[in-house]
Amino acid sequence: MIKAIFFDIDGTLLSHQSQSVPASTKKALKILKEKGIYTFIATGRHISEIKDLPLDDLEFEGYITLNGQYCYNKEGVIYDLPIDPQDIQQILSFIDQKPFPCIFVEDEKMYINYHNQAVETVQKAISTPLPELGNLKRGLTHPIYQVIPYDITIEQEQEILQQMPHCQYTRWHDLAIDIIPQNGGKQNGILEVLKNYHISIDETMAFGDGHNDIDMLKLVNIGIAMGNANDEVKEAADEVTDNIDHDGIYKALKKHHLIDE
């Protein structure tokens, strides 16, 4: 019996083609709530970004944000895992030597050193305003949960990771990557949330479409890739549903008899 379902946002709940959540998905989420099945967001996004998205009329039990590094519900923080301060010091020195746009993400705040065309392109692609400008040195005195470099090559990825030996990364756009703690990830956040709710892995399902969803889809009992996911994500999933714009979530939930309408 499924007791908890985890949903990625971009390309899973939110269509960037229509700039909205499909009506069939909204209907499905309402039915799941009425049945007492917990629904959770599992995203790489920050709480401030989520508030700017057209998700206001959707209600979730909790949120796994920043790729699992910051998890909370209406009662407060369930789990958090900041980046090693030594890694932050080293990446700051590296940016001073070889500048590139970079976001530092705190629990309630995120800021970037500067904007360029690459930043504008990426933010437009995810239907999100440009991040506020700020001094990255703030990261020396505040916990940083995620670092997001923009406008870097594959070669630069490796240079950056050498500065942050306690971290891992995923590329979510041709022009941007997410850097998080080595032992982090959506799957880690999900395990902590399940522990808090006393729910077993056997009672879980998840939907995703991006590279940062792969570990999540492998972890849960039933991992479902959206039809618009790339091949690597589809191969990691237990099954593939239809495209987000063709009622993919609704069809999968109906297939598993979690909704009957």
Side-chain angles (χ1 to χ4, degrees):
M1 178 181 176
I2 299 298
K3 293 184 178 179
I5 306 178
F6 299 86
F7 297 91
D8 171 54
I9 292 180
D10 297 283
T12 301
L13 284 176
L14 178 63
S15 167
H16 291 291
Q17 181 174 321
S18 67
Q19 304 291 313
S20 65
V21 177
S24 63
T25 298
K26 291 183 178 183
K27 179 179 179 181
L29 291 170
K30 183 174 182 292
I31 294 171
L32 292 175
K33 181 174 175 58
E34 291 170 352
K35 288 193 168 188
I37 297 173
Y38 288 140
T39 57
F40 296 90
I41 288 286
T43 181
R45 285 186 180 266
H46 186 265
I47 181 173
S48 62
E49 294 180 297
I50 295 172
K51 290 177 179 177
D52 289 333
L53 296 173
L55 306 173
D56 298 359
D57 54 343
L58 304 181
E59 190 175 342
F60 297 93
E61 176 64 23
Y63 296 80
I64 295 167
T65 65
L66 307 181
N67 286 314
Q69 310 323 112
Y70 198 78
C71 310
Y72 60 93
N73 59 16
K74 60 185 177 183
E75 296 174 2
V77 179
I78 297 172
Y79 170 77
D80 71 318
L81 179 67
I83 292 174
D84 189 305
Q86 180 183 337
D87 286 18
I88 295 299
Q89 288 182 333
Q90 291 179 181
I91 191 60
L92 281 170
S93 296
F94 185 75
I95 292 172
D96 283 341
Q97 297 165 21
K98 300 181 178 181
F100 55 85
C102 190
I103 292 179
F104 272 22
V105 183
E106 299 179 13
D107 53 354
E108 297 183 358
K109 183 180 179 70
M110 58 190 296
Y111 42 92
I112 193 169
N113 49 346
Y114 67 92
H115 299 149
N116 67 4
Q117 184 60 53
V119 176
E120 293 177 7
T121 297
V122 173
Q123 296 305 105
K124 183 178 181 180
I126 60 173
S127 308
T128 302
L130 291 174
E132 69 174 72
L133 296 171
N135 187 349
L136 298 187
K137 294 292 193 294
R138 178 182 161 94
L140 295 172
T141 55
H142 293 76
I144 302 299
Y145 293 91
Q146 187 166 276
V147 171
I148 311 174
Y150 288 76
D151 203 14
I152 57 170
T153 64
I154 301 296
E155 292 72 25
Q156 286 175 303
E157 280 181 6
Q158 299 312 311
E159 281 190 281
I160 291 170
L161 263 292
Q162 287 173 13
Q163 315 304 314
M164 307 182 76
H166 305 100
C167 289
Q168 59 171 307
Y169 80 97
T170 57
R171 181 170 283 276
W172 53 275
H173 189 280
D174 289 343
L175 297 171
I177 64 173
D178 284 341
I179 299 176
I180 61 174
Q182 187 65 52
N183 56 341
K186 288 187 181 182
Q187 75 283 2
N188 189 52
I190 287 174
L191 288 172
E192 295 294 335
V193 167
L194 292 177
K195 190 187 306 179
N196 182 76
Y197 282 86
H198 307 290
I199 295 173
S200 76
I201 286 293
D202 293 340
E203 299 169 316
T204 61
M205 174 184 281
F207 289 84
D209 74 304
H211 187 271
N212 63 341
D213 295 319
I214 288 177
D215 288 337
M216 170 178 78
L217 297 178
K218 287 182 176 180
L219 173 72
V220 296
N221 186 29
I222 305 173
I224 301 176
M226 302 301 292
N228 45 280
N230 62 43
D231 290 342
E232 189 178 4
V233 178
K234 291 177 179 178
E235 289 169 8
D238 296 301
E239 59 186 72
V240 179
T241 187
D242 210 333
N243 189 290
I244 180 174
D245 295 301
H246 296 124
D247 307 323
I249 288 177
Y250 186 91
K251 289 175 180 176
L253 292 172
K254 189 169 184 179
K255 173 186 173 182
H256 286 277
H257 306 292
L258 292 172
I259 57 176
D260 305 314
E261 297 181 28

